[in-house]
Amino acid sequence: MGRLVPAVTRALDILELFLEGDGTLSAPDIVRRLQLPRTTVHELVTTLAARSYIVQVPGQPGRYRLGVRPYQLGSRYAEQLDLAAEGQQVARSVAETCDETVHVAILEGTDVIYIAKVDSTHAVRMVSAAGRRLPAHCTSVGKMLLASLPAPQLASRIQDDVPLVGMTPNSITDVGALREALDEIRRRGVAVENRESNPDVSCVAAPVRDRTGQVVAALSVSVPMIRWSDERRVELEQLAVKGAAELSERLGHRSLG
């Protein structure tokens, strides 16, 4: 690895400060936050402004905000993103941590489609494949995605007079019960499937967001019942949330928490 260039590092440190607070900074703010000499900060700020990485805030002399150049770079990065490819990489990392099957899925109509999958190395594991389609209400990823829909979109997909088809005796087939389950998912921020699509498997799932904050996918961890317990569920919920957050970050989402 080559040597880091101090001036470039400092310039990037300044730009990253704009991700915090209200997104505006003065040169004295930067001096105080980064503990850099005033002359150095003045030169870096002048350079960044000249290249449109930062601009002065109208009506607030001496204060700066991000300019158009970071937006252009971010837009080009977003254009190159591949949700399936990014999802596969994150799913692999999560699977290596827990040694269980990990999926990433998207919502299409009232079904989910699995776009990424990494298998467990255990002899007993879930058998599935990327590209498979399942009823959303029977899966943890599907319930997570349904729970994330705005109310009008959810109402158009899940209608009171259209019966829900079950896949196992544990599947939710009553629309009222499904709506209650989705309310609980919104409250907790994670979804659990208790043998609803496969009688021998339970799953947990968490939402994946894009740079606008919209939920665009869900990441799940699937476990055969012989390795399932309340303690394991809690552990895997935390891992699913962490993995989904990592994938969200790769898609440009920035958590405000």
Side-chain angles (χ1 to χ4, degrees):
M1 176 181 286
R3 183 179 69 88
L4 298 180
V5 179
V8 176
T9 298
R10 290 168 178 170
L12 294 174
D13 286 341
I14 290 174
L15 289 175
E16 289 173 1
L17 286 179
F18 287 93
L19 297 175
E20 305 168 9
D22 67 355
T24 69
L25 292 165
S26 67
D29 291 335
I30 297 170
V31 169
R32 184 178 67 257
R33 299 275 292 277
L34 297 181
Q35 296 295 299
L36 293 174
R38 284 180 293 176
T39 301
T40 299
V41 169
H42 175 73
E43 292 174 347
L44 290 170
V45 165
T46 300
T47 302
L48 290 170
R51 298 291 297 269
S52 298
Y53 282 90
I54 59 175
V55 295
Q56 290 204 40
V57 178
Q60 299 184 48
R63 294 197 70 80
Y64 295 86
R65 60 174 173 80
L66 289 177
V68 68
R69 202 61 175 164
Y71 173 79
Q72 292 172 329
L73 291 172
S75 296
R76 176 53 61 89
Y77 172 75
E79 290 171 0
Q80 297 173 346
L81 283 176
D82 182 330
L83 176 57
E86 298 293 334
Q88 188 71 18
Q89 291 185 38
V90 174
R92 183 175 296 109
S93 175
V94 174
E96 288 173 353
T97 301
C98 64
D99 199 13
E100 300 293 355
T101 300
V102 180
H103 292 97
V104 177
I106 59 174
L107 187 65
E108 184 173 285
T110 57
D111 292 340
V112 288
I113 299 175
Y114 294 98
I115 62 171
K117 181 213 174 185
V118 176
D119 280 316
S120 162
T121 63
H122 289 291
V124 179
R125 61 180 185 267
M126 182 178 183
V127 178
S128 63
R132 188 182 184 190
R133 179 189 293 263
L134 290 176
H137 67 278
C138 292
T139 69
S140 61
V141 284
K143 290 189 292 183
M144 186 75 256
L145 291 166
L146 290 173
S148 302
L149 289 174
Q153 291 188 31
L154 178 61
S156 69
R157 301 188 197 210
I158 305 296
Q159 301 171 18
D160 293 336
D161 58 347
V162 178
L164 299 173
V165 177
M167 295 183 67
T168 77
N170 277 23
S171 300
I172 298 175
T173 56
D174 178 76
V175 174
L178 177 61
R179 294 191 188 280
E180 289 180 6
L182 298 183
D183 286 340
E184 177 69 6
I185 290 168
R186 294 186 196 98
R187 185 184 68 79
R188 297 189 65 236
V190 293
V192 178
E193 174 199 333
N194 180 24
R195 298 176 294 167
E196 295 164 49
S197 64
N198 182 320
D200 300 315
V201 175
S202 286
C203 308
V204 298
V208 175
R209 301 177 185 274
D210 66 9
R211 62 188 179 89
T212 70
Q214 180 179 352
V215 175
V216 293
L219 180 145
S220 70
V221 182
S222 302
V223 184
M225 293 307 298
I226 61 171
R227 294 195 296 275
W228 181 260
S229 66
D230 287 342
E231 293 78 11
R232 185 62 166 158
R233 173 185 58 77
V234 172
E235 177 186 344
L236 294 177
E237 283 179 348
Q238 295 172 348
L239 188 58
V241 168
K242 183 179 179 181
E246 179 184 345
L247 181 51
S248 298
E249 185 175 347
R250 286 174 177 244
L251 298 180
H253 177 65
R254 183 168 67 90
S255 173
L256 299 179

